Structure formats: C-alpha cells, structure tokens
Amino acid sequence: PSSEVWRANWLPYAKVKRENDQSFSGGGISITPVEPMRVWTIDFQGTLQNIESHEERPAKIQMTWSSDQQVIKFDEVLPVSGTAKAFTREPWNRQFFEDLEKAHQNHYEQIGGCCGSIDIGEEKFELLNVQTFRDHSSGTRDWKLMHRYIFHIILLYDGTKILSMAICQPHTCTQ
C-alpha cells in the first residue's frame, strides 16, 4: 500500500561497504554518476521491510536523478555575518582554530528531479519527475560532534525553492 513506509532491512545501520569503483554501492543500492553534477542513476535490488508490521518484501528500484539547476556551494553562499557572530562568541586560542579546521567540510547541495519505477512485492509505482534535493559533503565528518542537524527543504509548485537549516556543533561553536 502506498501510504505505508518501507525501508531497507539493514537500516538504521547506514554504513555500507563500497563494492566497486564505478559507483557508490553497497547493501543492494547503487548510485552511479552518469554526467558529473547533472545525472545519476539510482538502483536498488533487495528486501524492504515495513516499519510497522515488519513484513519483508522483495523490492526493485530503478531511477534516474537529473538536474539543470546550479550547485549551491556552502562556502560561497553561507552568510559570513552568521558565521562571524558565532566565532566571536568563542574563546580564541590555538585549539579553537585547530578544531574549526578539523571540522571543516566541502559541502554542496542541488535541487533536481527523479523519475523511474519502484516495485515492492506485487505493487508497482512510477515516479514522474518528483522534485528532490541532493546533499553532498566531503571531508572528515564526526557525527558525535553534532548535537542537532536540522534541514527544512521546501519545494513549491510555482518553482520557489527554500532551504532552511540549523546546525548545532558545540565542539566548535557553543551558540
């Protein structure tokens, strides 16, 4: 039934071993770049579990994600005033700046669309250009340093796109 929530049976354990160098894959899912920053294929073949009944069904997902939208690079668009205000509230010492450097990541986001098919047991669903959001970071991420990480992504029918986020990482910024 379409109103039910299904998940891979290995979740919430989300770390999977990369199975080949041509794609980001593991645990039955494969995400393959076709055109850098523009087109990706997303495939899954495995078992999905209903989060309420725990029923398991075989599943096959084949989708294409694509975008003609600009890539949003956080280092370029994040308001400097907010970052500066947070930094001025901290005691400046060597350790503070070393922690900032260690926690830094390259981060970008992009709006796009997904189309494809989802088969869960006998049920089949077609996706026709569902608006989506892609988020990517590179660098060392220690999730234990983050107290809260909140995203609100709003995609309106008129094409308006809004991203609001709050990150609380007391290890580098206590406020």
Side-chain angles (χ1 to χ4, degrees):
S2 60
S3 63
E4 296 179 356
V5 177
W6 295 81
R7 68 176 186 189
N9 60 358
W10 40 261
L11 287 170
Y13 181 74
K15 186 175 183 180
V16 293
K17 183 178 180 185
R18 189 167 178 185
E19 295 169 346
N20 71 60
D21 290 337
Q22 303 305 312
S23 67
F24 301 92
S25 59
I29 192 167
S30 177
I31 303 171
T32 306
V34 176
E35 182 183 340
M37 309 306 278
R38 295 288 172 226
V39 181
W40 296 72
T41 59
I42 304 155
D43 296 297
F44 174 79
Q45 190 153 354
T47 302
L48 293 181
Q49 182 182 64
N50 183 295
I51 64 167
E52 291 182 14
S53 70
H54 303 288
E55 172 191 359
E56 292 190 349
R57 291 186 188 171
K60 183 176 182 179
I61 299 171
Q62 293 181 303
M63 294 189 290
T64 299
W65 181 91
S66 61
S67 178
D68 59 2
Q69 300 289 311
Q70 74 179 48
V71 175
I72 301 165
K73 297 177 184 173
F74 256 60
D75 284 355
E76 295 174 6
V77 300
L78 192 65
V80 175
S81 60
T83 306
K85 191 180 289 185
F87 289 175
T88 60
R89 294 180 174 147
E90 303 301 321
W92 284 20
N93 55 42
R94 181 178 299 275
Q95 186 64 50
F96 172 69
F97 288 102
E98 287 174 358
D99 288 347
L100 283 176
E101 186 175 27
K102 184 179 174 186
H104 179 264
Q105 295 184 337
N106 295 312
H107 182 83
Y108 62 85
E109 296 164 353
Q110 190 175 24
I111 302 292
C114 242
C115 59
S117 62
I118 301 173
D119 299 349
I120 303 174
E122 300 300 315
E123 296 184 84
K124 300 185 183 315
F125 307 91
E126 292 295 320
L127 300 177
L128 304 172
N129 199 27
V130 175
Q131 285 209 340
T132 60
F133 171 83
R134 187 171 75 94
D135 171 272
H136 182 80
S137 295
S138 60
T140 304
R141 176 172 285 177
D142 185 349
W143 287 103
K144 292 178 266 181
L145 298 179
M146 293 191 190
H147 179 64
R148 296 273 189 276
Y149 190 85
I150 302 165
F151 267 90
H152 290 284
I153 302 142
I154 303 163
L155 307 171
L156 303 178
Y157 286 115
D158 71 357
T160 302
K161 298 163 181 69
I162 302 166
L163 168 65
S164 174
M165 63 184 291
I167 299 172
C168 176
Q169 185 169 298
H171 183 71
T172 55
C173 292
T174 57
Q175 299 179 38

